[in-house]
Structure formats: structure tokens, C-alpha cells
Amino acid sequence: MTHAPDLDIPSPLPPMPELPKAPAVQRLITTLTGRGIHLHTARAIGYAVCDPSAVRRQLEEPAEIRVNGGALLAVHAQVWVPGVLMWPENPRLLPGLTYAVESRAKRRHPLPPTHPGSDPASPELVMDMVPTAELVGYLDNQMSYLRNTNDLSTSVGNHGILSELLLVPLVFNSGYADPDDVDLLKDLEIAHDDGSRTVLTSVDGNSRLAGAYRHLRLDPSDVLTKLVNSPRTLRQRIGTYLAFADNPEMTLEEAAALRSLTAPAAIVVGFRADTPHINLVEAVQSRLGAIHVSPASPWSTSSQLDMLLNATLDARQSDFESWSNVNEGAFTAGQYRDWLAGNLDADQATEAGLDPHPDVRAASLRWWLRDHDLQVAKAIRRLDVVRSMDASVRTNIAAEGALRSFRSELRTDSEADNVRRVLVALWQIDDLKGDWEVDDDEGLGSLKKLMTDATGEVALLGRPGDRGRLLMVVAFYWMARARLVPLQTRGGMKDRRKVGDVVTLMCRTEHGMRQLARIVHDSRAERTPVRVNPKGQPILGPDGRELLFTDEWMRDTWSSGYSKSPVVPLSAEKDLENREAVLVGAIEKVVHELASLREPQAGDGTPLVDTSGIQVANADRALAQLKEIAETVTEYRFLARRANPAADAE
């Protein structure tokens, strides 16, 4: 089995907007100033938006964003990220600041608070008298903090900024500059109407903006001192990025920069107070509070994973159609998807030609999600641009699907989370990393034969083979469902080993495989699983009653030499040696099955196969597989002889 790497697959590049013409920008600036917005603020908005004409049309009736006591009036537009500055007062940084009362001069102090502008017709937040070096240092510190604690650069580089930024004009009064800034201000191309400087700032969305800055190789100082007040420099920088799209040999870094170049935004262009004494600062705080301080309750983990499971099953529709064809139409792709999703009861599953047992459905879910799949990764990204589709996420999705067969038994989200975590921990132990298969229509077949095969593998290899892994997958389902083992040990317990280490040790013994089979047997019969002895017989108590399986008994039974030490994985050489033995054993099984074809006899006692043969299609398939096996084994034999010439002499 080939395991593909878990990657975040970048989205296709979106159509890139063109730089707007100067007349279109000027018409927007004129329209904004006609609404009473100050010239320096109108220019900041005009040069930051990608489509000035679309914004100008929206100004006829801006959208409302309700806040406590009023409404922010906003236009929705794509903006050029280099024309937007991170919000200097980002509350995420507040716990890391030092206040004057603490008397620690070397730590960074809070910036002076913003206040609403004096003109209610021009919606602006104002910051007074901050030296450039201090402000740039503050913003650089914010960049570092966000990259360390909420780094979205990978997601933004692969998919762009998907959620709207909330942008508010921020005015730095003339007192903003210290004496060292005088020459810089003289070089600015825009003559400010009142000596102020305005920039659009993201009061919400700084983590996304920081991720975009990284791919655009921007620093806050670039935006603050070079771009937002120099339209020519800003447009030249944007044009440099747009030129990447014309490069037939575009690099991954250039593609990430293009995805990061624009962002959807709600730009505040007005404010309406419905109650007295509320101002723009309070309105913005109200909006941030609704988003971050007291937001809507997030979906439960189960709800999130349920959505991801549905998306996963939809993404594999073509695989299910192929699987239906392989099974010669025994069931349709739609029936198979419904079965995996838990939408068929036992009778409906049987009628559709699928196994009715919930443990087999759980094993099939785990099988389909065992490896990385490109289509599934893309489907997940449509719902969650942050979560990486790694092995843990796939196992959690499969486990959530398994829980659908007994969801009503779980009274709370916390209880569901605990059961799922146990199943995920068991399904992720190292001994399950290998090939195994489950038959969707015949299920486990004979449980007794499965147990015999599994114990035989352990006797030969000292660890589970493919049949043992199948038994483990279904037994672990029942162990989690019946809460037979806890995820965490409790204080006061002598044995503090992880449940995965204990179960791994159990599954490397014939006794353990017999116990797993008994767990499946009893659980399917809706009985509490009982303990078995090394021969697989129920263990009786002093009163003659069968003793129930418990976590404590499991730990006591499989404890020798493992009280504190974790299970040590096999070396690659030993693992290969064991797998070679499994291969030889599997071929011996094929020889046995071939001989068993002579068992069905005609009326005269002649083996039926001697006269009728076997179906041509089956014979052709078997011959093709045997030929492939022979060629592969011959190649491996050649490699072994080349690596060890002395083997010929032996």
C-alpha cells in the first residue's frame, strides 16, 4: 500500500483584478468627499479598493452592520492588501503589555487609545502623537505574536483570505511624526488637507492580514511609511505582484503572493447612532465584542466532524461507483454511500447486499479514510481552510461516522467526545499501520475463522497480520462503544500506561486475539463482554458465573515487563522479515484454497472442477494476479541475490 503525504492542496489561482484607472479612483474620491468624508480618508479608501466603480454604486445605499446602540454603514469590496494596515490596538496583544503601574520601563506599554473624529460626517478613528519608531515597533511585535500564536500564513498562501476584514479609517494627527519624520513627510506625494494621515486598518482580521503580509514580503513599516500615503508607490508595488500572473514558469511563492494580494472587506463609510452618547469607538468595540468576546457558541466537535464526514463521502462518489462495478453491481454507489453514512438500517443494508453489522460499517469507514486522498482533501478545504487533512483528522472523521450507529446512547457532547477519543486512540496504534481489508457484503465471514487466522499470524510473527488488524478494528469499535477502556488512567492507579500500549501488548498474544473475538461475539449478541482464558474459554468466578471484561483485568493480564515502558516498535529489518513470512503463509493458503476446489463432487464422486473447470473471468483474474505476483517476487529475489551474493552458495 502506498501512503501519500498529507498536504494542504493549494486552490487554483482566482482571476486577478486589474489596477483601476486613475479617473475611476478620482470619481470615487469625489463621491466620498461629497458624503462629507475628509479628503485624506477618501483617498485612503479610493486607492485601497480594487473596483472603485462598484464601491461608488454601493455608496448610494450602504449596507448596515448592526451594533449595540446603532449601526455601522459599510460597503463590501475587494481591497489591495498592501493598502491596508494591521490594527495597532489589536486586543490579542493586551496580556503581553506592561502598564505604567508596574514600573517596568523596558517592557512595551499600550498605545494611546483611539478616539472618534470630531466630524460625525467622516467616520474615522483618531490616534494622537505616536512617534513613528514606537508605532512601527508595536506593529512588528504584533506580527511576531500572530505568527507564533495564530499563524494563518499557510492557509492564506494556499487559498487566499476568504473571510471579510472589517476596515475602519484610522487617522494619525499631525502630532504623529517625531522630528526625524519631517523629511519623510516632505517626500509624501499626497498633500494632506489638514496635516493628517489616514490608512484603512483592519479592526478585525489581523491574523489573516499578517499571513498575507508574509507572502507579499511586507512589513507594517512598508505599509505605514511608504505605501498608503503614496498612490504611485502603492500602485507600482501592486503592479509588481500582478506581473507574476504573466510568468509561464510561476513559482509557488509567486502564486502564494497573488492569492494574498487581495482580500474581501467591509469598509466602514458611516455610522448611525440609535441611542444618545454612543460614538464610533464604542460601535467598533461592540462589533468586536460580538465576534470575539461573546461570540455565538461554536459548533460541537461532533457537528464539525459530521459535516466533514458528509463532505468526505460526497468527494468519494466516483470511488464508490468503481467499487460498485468491482462488486458486479451487487449494490449501487448511492446505496453504498448511504450505508457508510449510517442512513440504512440493518434490514435495508441486507436488502442492498451490504453487511448489517455496525462494526463492519465502522471498519469500512476506517478503511476508506486510512490514506490521504486528493479529492477528500479538497472537499475538506472547502469547509475548513485551517485544518490539515492528516491521519488524525481522517481517523476522527471515521470515528464520528462510527458513532452514528449509537449516537442516541450518548447523552452529552462531552460523552460523545470521550467515546470518540478512545476509538481514535485505539485505531491509531502502530500495529494497525499495515494492510488489511474488510468485506462490505459478507462482513467478517466466520468470526471463528477470523480468530483462528489472527492467532496464527501472532504465533508466526509475534504481532498482528492483516487478519488480526481486521479483528482489532472491529473489536476496538465495541470496546469504545461499551466504554470498556478509558482514555486516561485515574489517580491512585498503579498502572499508568497509555491504553494504546496496553492494547498493543494484548494484541501481540494469541490470548489477546481470542479476547478480541469474544468481545465482538458478545457485543453483537448485545451482551456485556466476558473475560476468556488463553484457550478462549470464559473465566468463571467463585460462584460459577462468567466474569466480565474490565480495563483493570486487562491491565493485570497483560502487564509483565510493561508497567512503565512503552511498546517498542519493530525495526524495519525485523518488520520486513515478518511480512515475508506472512507472504509465504498467504501463498500457502492460496495453494490450500486451490486444492479445496476439488471438494465439490458430482453424483459419481468425481470432483466437479475436473469436468466443468472454473469461470473463465475468475480464471483470467487469478492468472493475471499470479503473474504479477511471480514477476514481483522474481524482482525481489534478484535484488536479494545482488545484495547478498553469498546467498547463492547457501
Side-chain angles (χ1 to χ4, degrees), residues 1 3 14 26 96 98-99 116 124 162 194 242 250 295 298 341 348 373 419 447 535 565 603 611 649:
M1 180 187 302
H3 295 269
Q26 188 57 49
T98 297
Y99 293 81
E124 300 162 345
L162 302 181
D194 61 2
L242 290 174
M250 185 190 309
Q348 291 170 330
D373 179 82
V419 172
L447 180 58
K535 294 183 179 181
S565 302
T611 56

Side-chain angles (χ1 to χ4, degrees), residues 137-184:
Y138 199 96
L139 291 168
D140 286 342
N141 182 56
Q142 181 180 169
M143 285 278 288
S144 299
Y145 177 86
L146 292 176
R147 288 174 178 175
N148 290 331
T149 62
N150 194 33
D151 187 7
L152 300 182
S153 58
T154 299
S155 172
V156 170
N158 286 340
H159 310 286
I161 295 177
L162 302 181
S163 300
E164 276 193 337
L165 309 175
L166 179 60
L167 304 183
V168 177
L170 176 63
V171 179
F172 299 104
N173 276 344
S174 56
Y176 161 79
D178 57 27
D180 294 335
D181 291 332
V182 173
D183 292 337
L184 172 65

Side-chain angles (χ1 to χ4, degrees), residues 361-377:
R361 187 184 71 86
S364 293
L365 280 169
R366 183 71 186 97
W367 189 87
W368 280 105
L369 282 160
R370 71 201 187 284
D371 289 328
H372 179 84
D373 179 82
L374 178 60
Q375 295 305 316
V376 169

Side-chain angles (χ1 to χ4, degrees), residues 302 318 454:
S302 291
S318 61

Side-chain angles (χ1 to χ4, degrees), residues 16 48 127 159 274 293 315 335 372 413 417 547 553:
M16 299 305 299
M127 181 173 287
H159 310 286
D274 296 337
V293 179
Q335 288 173 324
H372 179 84
D413 288 339
D417 289 343
L547 297 178
W553 174 80

Side-chain angles (χ1 to χ4, degrees), residues 318-354:
S318 61
D319 294 323
F320 297 158
E321 291 173 356
S322 299
W323 193 240
S324 173
N325 294 333
V326 168
N327 286 271
E328 300 178 348
F331 46 80
T332 67
Q335 288 173 324
Y336 191 68
R337 186 214 180 276
D338 284 342
W339 177 67
L340 288 175
N343 294 330
L344 303 183
D345 61 27
D347 292 337
Q348 291 170 330
T350 301
E351 184 178 351
L354 294 162

